Amino acid sequence: LKEENAVLRSKINKLQILSEAQADKMRKLEKKLEENKMKEEKEAQDLEAMVQHVEQNLQMMTKRAAKAENSAAKLRQENAQLQAELRNSRLENEALRAGQAGLAVAKQNAELALQHLLQVTTSSRASIRQLLSGAESLQLVADLLKSIDRISEVSEDGQ
């Protein structure tokens, strides 16, 4: 009976040691799990902040693109008006040539209209370049948002 008690005590001691080791291992795993949860929460917050920042940039770029489009439309309208003035000046110039009167005035008017037309053409080109730049920026933001979606999909698959 003493031998059996000694064997049972020995088994109890071994089981207690094993139980303590498993409890220690479980505490470590719980701590690691908590650390991972906090890390994932921080990453989610960072990702959300980045998405908000990208959305703000996208809104700003959209506003800039709209302004550029409006500017381009105004410049096109002004260009059309100046071309009409140029045509009128040319007609007037031809009429003056035919009548041999006031040639210098018509020539000056045509030159002035031509200068205006060239200025509008130059500014129209600059506005169109700006509009294209805005469109490229919007494309870049769209590509960035696509990559953010892929990152979040990979993150969800990795869990």
Side-chain angles (χ1 to χ4, degrees), residues 29-39 41:
L29 288 173
E30 285 174 345
K31 183 179 176 183
K32 189 173 184 177
L33 178 63
E34 188 63 32
E35 289 172 356
N36 285 343
K37 281 183 182 178
M38 292 187 60
K39 183 180 175 183
E41 285 178 17

Side-chain angles (χ1 to χ4, degrees), residues 35-79:
E35 289 172 356
N36 285 343
K37 281 183 182 178
M38 292 187 60
K39 183 180 175 183
E40 285 181 14
E41 285 178 17
K42 175 145 180 25
E43 287 175 354
Q45 289 171 354
D46 291 346
L47 187 59
E48 181 64 28
M50 186 170 61
V51 167
Q52 288 177 354
H53 183 69
V54 167
E55 287 174 349
Q56 289 172 351
N57 285 345
L58 182 60
Q59 288 174 352
M60 280 185 1
M61 285 185 223
T62 303
K63 286 179 184 178
R64 284 179 31 201
K67 284 182 182 179
E69 287 176 8
N70 288 338
S71 177
K74 286 178 185 177
L75 290 172
R76 277 190 227 103
Q77 184 179 11
E78 188 177 337
N79 190 6

